[in-house]
Structure formats: C-alpha cells, structure tokens
Amino acid sequence: MAQQPDGATVARSARGHIKPTPESWFFLHRSSAEMRFEAMARPAYLTDTARFYVRNLGTATPFVDVASWRLRVHGDGVARPLDLSYDDLLALPSRTVTRFLECAGNGRAFYDLFLGHRAPGSQWKFGGFGIAEWRGVPLAEILDRAGLKREAVDVMPVGLDAERVARPMPIGKALAADTLLVYAMNGAPLLPDHGFPARLLVPGWVGSASIKWVGEIVVATHRLFTPWNTTSYILKGPLYPPDPPAEGQIVTQQRLKSAVALPWPATLPAGRQTIVGYAWSPVAEIARVAVSLDGGQLFHPATLTGPNIAAAGSRWEFTLDARPGPLTITPRATDAAGNCQPRLAAQPLNDHGYLFGAAVPHPVTVVG
Ligand SMILES: Nc1nc2c(c(=O)[nH]1)N[C@H]1C(S)=C(S)[C@@H](COP(=O)(O)O)O[C@H]1N2
Ligand SMILES: [Mo]
C-alpha cells in the first residue's frame, strides 16, 4: 500500500490487470487484453464486462481504497476548487448512456496484414472495443459545481495509476451532455481494471481520453500538454505535420468501423447460414451495412437488427450460401452522418497505426 499525496490509498496488483483473461476469450498483448470479437455474436447488444478489453498504458491496475479516495477539481479555470468523496459523487445527478469504448490502436494489425505498414504497439484486430451501459455524473455538473470560468480552455483528468496517466480534452468536449464521470458499467460498480472507483467516458473519442481511476481533474485557461497528447495519441508521419509541442495531430474522434463476429481466421461449415457482425460510428447511428464476398467488388445489403445507437453501434446480419474453399467476408458501413468506410487502398497511414477505418476482408475457410 502506498499513501498518495492526495490521500487515496492505492495498492498495486502484481499482474497488469486483475480480472481473469482466459486465452479462449482474449488475445493477450504485452499490457492489454483484447476481446476475441466472436464474443459479439451472442444476442446481447452490450459486451459482457467479463469479456470487455483491458488496456493499461502503465504497469498495473491499481486498487484504489474508496474510503480515502477523493476527487479534486482545481486549476485556474475554476473559481471554487472541489473535493468530493465517493458518496458525494454518488449523490450528484446522474445519467446512464450506452456507448462504445475503443482503443485508438484498434485495427492496428490490419495496417500490417493488408497494407505492409507495421506500426509498433499491440497488434489489435477488432477487439480493442466493447459496448457498455455507463452510469455516472455529467462532467458538466461537476465543473459547474466547481465554478467553471468562461475562460476555461482545457480539462485534464489525471489517473491514480503509478504513471499518473492524464489526457487533456478541450472544454467543448468536456461539457458534452454524454461526457460522464462514470462509476458504474453494465449495472455494477466499475471493476478495478475498468477504472474503479471512477473514470471518464468521453464518447466517440479514442479510449485514452477516457481516463481510469480519476483522482484529480485540472481545469485550465490555457492548453495543457502531457506525453499522451504530444508523443502518443497523435497522428504522426508524412501526412501529418508536427504541431509543437505535439509531434503531430492530436487524435480525438474515432473512425467508423464494421467487423464480423467470427474467430480470426474463421472456419465455417458449407451451406446456408447467417453471419453476425457489428458496425459503429463515433458520431451517428448506422445507416446501412453492405457485405462483399468477392474482396470488395460487389456489395450486398446486410440487415440491421436490435438497438442502433450513435457512438455505440448496431448489430447486423447477413445470410450467405457458403461453398467449400477459401472465402472473405468484407462488411462496409455507412453512418447516418454520411460517412462511409474507405477501401483498404484509401486508408491513410500514420506511424503509430491509429484510427484504422477501412473495410476489412475477414478470412474464412468453408469446409464441406
Ligand atoms: N489512468 C489511466 N486511464 C486510462 C488508461 C491508463 O492506462 N491509465 N488507458 C487508456 C486507454 S489507452 C484505453 S483504450 C482505455 C481502456 O479502458 P478499459 O481498460 O476499461 O477497456 O482506458 C484509458 N484510460
Ligand atoms: Mo487505448
């Protein structure tokens, strides 16, 4: 146990994360556990918390002692610094939303697999992603109670992990109605791995904005910079000029994606069957999904089923007649804002392999 300067008692687990992450459910990367996307084939719209990916940038999930935990809101952007206990937080007006959470590097493996551009870092396929129901206090409520000033520019939640991971966001996003300081996920208190006792939910933005184990929120009347918006979580490379102190363009919003809920690669029996998948947009509902079985020449409409929520996603189904041999299933989504997934060849490259969004051919072998 270590006493933090802010009074919260934090013990660190020896492993990176705490919840069980069996290989049958997860791909284990060095410091993250990626959901095997076939988990999304089950009829439930939400991703089971037990199956939800874990991404720790630092060494380990901290255990935060909730009795001594405090949320401190301070900085020159607020008139009345706040100090809230867990009970204080639970007593504030809350909101419940269904949204996806997705790592900026989700899909990074496809830069290597299809575009010959291997970027360092976890080689996520589609499983750095999950949909959950989040309950928490709108960040706007908290900032309002701290006497938010009109001149405030940036809001920076700071994690209680050893590395004090902190990622600033502009005040506009901090005040969005669905940007929450979350304390419950899928109807239960947050698990330690997912940010207990409280984490940010910054809908539609890269997962690194959704800081876990928040102990402090800094509000400033000037731009704030940390390693996580200057050297990582920036688009870097020939297409992206540096924007000092950032080495490139700061990543914020995620990309429209669609994925097949089958193992990678998959084996299917021959015959008529219905394939399930998901499509998700950071800004809008899904308008339609089409599926190609010939590598992206001809597309056929898929059927959207169940809830279809902006910044969460929609399930889709597609019935095909599988003949023995190799097959690729390539879904392509269009959202209600008119965004459409590009072809592989039109996917822009960046050094860190963030924000992959092209339509991906899912490899399948059909056995007769
Ligand atoms: N304090 C803190 N917050 C963090 C991280 C971290 O390492 N420390 N990882 C971020 C990243 S990169 C992602 S993708 C999400 C992952 O959230 P999850 O582990 O609950 O799925 O949390 C973000 N919040
Ligand atoms: Mo991430």
Side-chain angles (χ1 to χ4, degrees):
M1 297 285 232
Q3 194 68 24
Q4 299 297 326
D6 48 24
T9 308
V10 175
R12 304 198 190 290
S13 65
R15 289 186 299 152
H17 47 263
I18 293 163
K19 74 178 184 184
T21 49
E23 294 224 35
S24 53
W25 284 4
F26 293 93
F27 296 112
L28 300 176
H29 305 297
R30 195 169 51 88
S31 57
S32 10
E34 172 180 2
M35 172 185 69
R36 289 181 182 265
F37 207 86
E38 55 268 37
M40 297 300 289
R42 52 197 282 287
Y45 178 71
L46 303 177
T47 311
D48 257 355
T49 305
R51 292 213 172 194
F52 209 94
Y53 81 100
V54 180
R55 171 71 174 125
N56 288 349
L57 297 169
T59 38
T61 290
F63 288 101
V64 177
D65 169 36
V66 73
S68 56
W69 177 83
R70 287 287 182 283
L71 173 69
R72 289 157 80 242
V73 185
H74 62 97
D76 71 352
V78 293
R80 297 184 298 277
L82 264 190
D83 186 326
L84 299 178
S85 69
Y86 189 58
D87 287 344
D88 294 336
L89 181 68
L90 301 192
L92 292 178
S94 71
R95 199 181 160 196
T96 302
V97 300
T98 296
R99 298 289 185 268
F100 70 71
L101 185 70
E102 183 185 23
C103 191
N106 198 32
R108 180 180 287 131
F110 305 128
Y111 284 108
D112 183 27
L113 288 172
F114 298 110
L115 298 168
H117 176 84
R118 189 181 171 92
S122 302
Q123 296 299 306
W124 306 93
K125 289 187 274 286
F126 282 119
F129 163 88
I131 304 175
E133 186 193 84
W134 310 93
R135 180 172 179 188
V137 180
L139 187 52
E141 289 277 351
I142 294 171
L143 298 180
D144 183 51
R145 280 168 172 74
L148 181 66
K149 295 183 186 166
R150 299 182 69 89
E151 311 84 61
V153 167
D154 266 4
V155 175
M156 180 176 71
V158 183
L160 289 168
D161 33 358
E163 296 74 10
R164 300 283 160 149
V165 173
R167 230 263 170 174
M169 74 187 110
I171 188 73
K173 187 62 178 175
L175 294 179
D178 58 355
T179 295
L180 308 180
L181 188 68
V182 157
Y183 49 77
M185 177 180 180
N186 293 338
L190 286 171
L191 291 183
D193 289 322
H194 297 300
F196 181 83
R199 76 172 305 161
L200 258 292
L201 172 73
V202 185
W205 282 31
V206 292
S208 53
S210 293
I211 291 294
K212 304 193 274 190
W213 318 295
V214 174
E216 191 185 339
I217 297 175
V218 180
V219 186
T221 58
H222 51 272
R223 300 282 307 278
L224 295 170
F225 295 98
T226 70
W228 299 280
N229 68 352
T230 55
T231 61
S232 59
Y233 301 105
I234 50 132
L235 295 174
K236 189 183 172 194
L239 296 174
Y240 306 101
D243 184 8
E247 291 173 6
Q249 202 178 299
I250 296 173
V251 298
T252 57
Q253 199 166 284
Q254 275 290 3
R255 289 292 183 271
L256 173 64
K257 285 191 187 66
S258 57
V260 179
L262 285 175
W264 183 291
T267 304
L268 287 180
R272 199 175 158 78
Q273 54 209 290
T274 298
I275 304 299
V276 171
Y278 266 76
W280 59 97
S281 158
V283 290
E285 293 178 11
I286 297 300
R288 58 187 173 276
V289 173
V291 172
S292 173
L293 300 176
D294 61 6
Q297 301 302 307
L298 208 62
F299 280 89
H300 316 275
T303 307
L304 303 184
T305 63
N308 184 348
I309 301 174
S314 174
R315 185 186 173 87
W316 55 264
E317 292 181 1
F318 183 76
T319 300
L320 56 82
D321 196 5
R323 313 253 167 81
L327 174 71
T328 57
I329 302 177
T330 309
R332 187 183 68 190
T334 302
D335 71 16
N339 300 300
C340 184
Q341 292 187 262
R343 292 170 179 277
L344 275 171
Q347 170 67 54
L349 304 180
N350 67 87
D351 291 0
H352 292 299
Y354 295 136
L355 302 186
F356 186 90
V360 169
H362 195 112
V364 178
T365 303
V366 180
V367 291

